[in-house]
Amino acid sequence: STTIGMKLPSKTLPFVFLSLLIIGISFLAGTYVGYENRAGILKVSGLINKETPVTAQESLVDFSPFWDTWNAINEKYVPATNGATSSPQASSQEATTGEVTAQDKVWGAIQGLVDSLGDPYSVFLPPEDSEVFEENIQGNFGGVGMEIGMRDDTLTVITPIKDTPAERAGIEAGDKILKIGDTITADISLEDAVRLIRGEIGTEVVFTIVREGRKGPFDVAVKRAIITIPTIDTELRKDGVFVIQLYNFSGQSPRLFRESLREFVLSGSNKLILDLRGNPGGFLEAAVEISSWFLPAGKIIVTEDFGPGKEDLDIIYRSRGYDVFNENLKMAILVDKGSASAAEIMAGALAEHKVAVLVGDKTFGKGSVQELIKITQDTSLKLTVAHWRTPEGTLISKDGITPLHMVKMTDEDREKKKDPQLDKAVALLLSQ
C-alpha cells in the first residue's frame, strides 16, 4: 500500500544529490589541498552528471560563493565559548564540545539546498533525524496524539486524534503552534517539531497556541502517553440517518468500513452521513478501496500529478466498481480543516461525481506526495515528487476542498455540545 503523502523507499538518486556526493568528495580534496590552492575549485561553474544531463540554467551555476563560504568558515569561525554549536545537524557529543565536523557541514549544506525549495514537506534527514522518522512511520512511538503540518509557513494542528491527551487537553484543528516548550517554532521543520513533542511517557509538554476567534496566544499543557488511534464508529440515529465516522485511512480501514456499510444496509436506512472531520488521511489504497463502494468501475478517484513536462508519468487511480448503491442513496460527507490527504481525496471524488454533498468547513489542503530517498546508509531525503488532483482537476495542496454547504463550528458550539455541521447534513438528507 502507498501512504498518502509518502512513498517508501526509493533507490533513485536525483542528479542534484549525486552532485552533492561529488561535492562531498571535493570537500575532502579542498581540506587537503588547502586554502592557497582553492582557485582551481573556484573555477567550477557547474557539476555534470553523465547519466542525467543538466539544464542550461544548471550549467551556469557558479559554486565559487559556496567554496568561499566553506573556506572562510574553516579559516575564521570560532565557536561559542560555552560549548554551544550553531549546527542543527551536530550530534549531542559535538554540541557539548562546540566542534562541528566537516560531515556536519555537508549535512547542513544539503539541508540548505532542500530548504531553498520553499516546501515544508521536503526535508533532508541526517542520521539522527532519519532514525526518528523511520520510527514514526512504523508507529513505534509515544506522544500527545495529534497530526501537525505546515499552513502558511506556520506549524499548524491538522487534527487532534480522538481520545488522546491532545484532544482531552483542548487542542483543536487549525490551532497555530507558536512555541513547543521554550522553543519558538518559526522556521522549524516538521521533523524537528515531532522530536520536541515526543518524550518520556507521563512527562508534560506545553504548547503556546494562537486560535482563530480567540484573542492572543495561550498555553496548553499536554501529558505524553502511548497513542492508540481509533478507526471507525457507527450510529443509527432516531431520525433514521445512519452515521459512519471514519477517523483515518489505515490498513484496516477498508475491512472495517465494509462491515459498517453492511450494518448500514441492514438498518434499512437510505440516508448516510460519512463524517471525515478530523481525519488526517493515511493509505492511498484505503481511500481507493472505500471510494469504490460508491462509484462505477473506471471513474477517476484521484490523479497523481508529477508536474509540468512530466504528464507521461501521471498516474490515474480509478474506482474498482463495487458501486453497490443506486440512486436511492442519499449521502452527505462532513469535512473540516482537520480533514486532510486521503480524506480530501475521497471527499473530492464523491462530491465531484455527484454521489455525496459536502457539508462543513474548508479542508486542510495536504495534497502532496513525498518519496523517501536513501542518500547514504543512514541518511534520507523526504522529497515532494507529485501532487494530488481531484477528478475535475482541483489541486488539493493549493486549494483544499470547499464544501457546497459551508458551516462553521464555533467555540460556543463546542462548549454547548452543539454540532451545526452535523445538524445541517441531517436536515439536507431528511429534506430529500
Side-chain angles (χ1 to χ4, degrees):
S1 298
T2 301
T3 306
I4 294 290
M6 178 57 57
K7 290 184 169 184
L8 305 170
S10 172
K11 296 181 180 178
T12 302
L13 284 172
F15 154 73
V16 68
F17 297 101
L18 287 175
S19 298
L20 281 166
L21 293 179
I22 297 172
I23 294 176
I25 295 170
S26 299
F27 286 163
L28 297 178
T31 301
Y32 287 107
V33 170
Y35 183 82
E36 293 179 354
N37 295 325
R38 68 191 176 100
I41 296 177
L42 297 182
K43 293 178 181 178
V44 176
S45 61
L47 294 174
I48 298 175
N49 181 293
K50 295 180 180 179
E51 296 180 2
T52 307
V54 297
T55 65
Q57 182 180 7
E58 288 170 335
S59 68
L60 298 176
V61 171
D62 181 6
F63 278 90
S64 60
F66 176 87
W67 292 114
D68 282 338
T69 304
W70 176 272
N71 287 294
I73 291 173
N74 284 346
E75 257 197 309
K76 299 182 178 182
Y77 173 69
V78 178
T81 56
N82 62 5
T85 176
S86 61
S87 171
Q89 314 300 344
S91 68
S92 57
Q93 180 178 1
E94 288 148 2
T96 59
T97 63
E99 295 179 1
V100 178
T101 68
Q103 190 62 65
D104 293 326
K105 287 184 282 187
V106 173
W107 299 151
I110 297 174
Q111 183 59 67
L113 175 62
V114 178
D115 288 346
S116 72
L117 301 175
D119 175 23
Y121 297 105
S122 292
V123 62
F124 173 70
L125 303 172
E128 182 181 344
D129 290 353
S130 185
E131 181 180 355
V132 170
F133 182 79
E134 290 180 11
E135 287 179 2
N136 285 343
I137 61 176
Q138 292 166 8
N140 302 322
F141 65 97
V144 301
M146 65 185 185
E147 297 280 344
I148 58 175
M150 289 293 181
R151 173 58 59 218
D152 299 326
D153 297 323
T154 304
L155 188 65
T156 304
V157 177
I158 299 177
T159 185
I161 299 170
K162 182 184 179 184
D163 294 331
T164 63
E167 185 191 54
R168 290 191 288 270
I171 298 286
E172 296 181 7
D175 283 349
K176 306 292 187 182
I177 302 175
L178 302 184
K179 291 172 63 178
I180 302 173
D182 295 327
T183 303
I184 298 173
T185 61
D187 300 323
I188 197 172
S189 71
L190 289 175
E191 283 65 30
D192 286 340
V194 168
R195 190 187 307 107
L196 290 171
I197 293 170
R198 285 162 47 106
E200 184 179 349
I201 302 304
T203 59
E204 193 172 74
V205 58
V206 178
F207 300 95
T208 301
I209 284 172
V210 169
R211 180 176 297 162
E212 183 180 356
R214 182 164 174 171
K215 187 177 181 180
F218 59 97
D219 290 345
V220 178
V222 186
K223 187 171 290 187
R224 299 178 176 97
I226 295 295
I227 305 303
T228 301
I229 302 176
T231 300
I232 203 163
D233 282 328
T234 61
E235 177 192 6
L236 177 61
R237 294 167 49 99
K238 292 180 180 179
D239 53 23
V241 176
F242 196 90
V243 180
I244 298 177
Q245 188 165 14
L246 186 63
Y247 299 105
N248 58 72
F249 288 82
S250 67
Q252 62 179 341
S253 294
R255 175 182 60 81
L256 296 175
F257 191 83
R258 183 174 65 249
E259 294 172 0
S260 298
L261 281 184
R262 182 174 183 275
E263 187 180 343
F264 166 58
V265 171
L266 292 177
S267 74
S269 174
N270 70 333
K271 297 176 176 62
L272 176 64
I273 292 177
L274 176 58
D275 191 346
L276 296 181
R277 292 177 296 180
N279 186 318
F283 289 102
L284 173 63
E285 175 75 14
V288 172
E289 181 77 8
I290 292 172
S291 299
S292 294
W293 288 105
F294 303 98
L295 295 172
K299 289 290 185 180
I300 296 176
I301 293 174
V302 71
T303 298
E304 191 173 1
D305 183 345
F306 288 87
K310 300 178 183 178
E311 289 80 7
D312 57 326
L313 299 178
D314 290 354
I315 301 173
I316 298 176
Y317 296 90
R318 300 179 183 274
S319 170
R320 292 160 186 169
Y322 307 146
D323 195 26
V324 296
F325 301 102
N326 56 31
E327 64 277 3
N328 290 326
L329 174 68
K330 312 301 179 185
M331 184 176 180
I333 297 178
L334 294 174
V335 293
D336 65 5
K337 52 192 173 184
S339 306
S341 196
E344 294 174 286
I345 285 173
M346 182 175 181
L350 296 194
E352 292 182 359
H353 286 301
K354 313 301 181 186
V355 172
V357 61
L358 299 189
V359 180
D361 207 349
K362 188 174 181 178
T363 63
F364 184 81
K366 173 62 174 75
S368 59
V369 185
Q370 281 73 46
E371 183 172 351
L372 192 64
I373 302 168
K374 294 296 288 185
I375 300 300
T376 67
Q377 184 176 357
D378 56 357
T379 65
S380 304
L381 173 70
K382 184 162 70 77
L383 185 68
T384 297
V385 296
H387 293 270
W388 301 111
R389 288 190 181 273
T390 67
E392 292 182 359
T394 297
L395 190 63
I396 294 175
S397 58
K398 177 182 178 182
D399 303 315
I401 304 295
T402 301
L404 178 62
H405 299 275
M406 286 285 292
V407 181
K408 295 285 187 178
M409 179 85 80
T410 65
D411 288 339
E412 184 179 356
D413 291 328
R414 296 184 183 91
E415 291 172 3
K416 295 182 177 180
K417 306 298 183 183
K418 293 183 178 181
D419 192 339
Q421 295 170 338
L422 177 61
D423 292 344
K424 177 64 175 181
V426 169
L428 287 170
L429 296 185
L430 292 179
S431 68
Q432 295 181 15

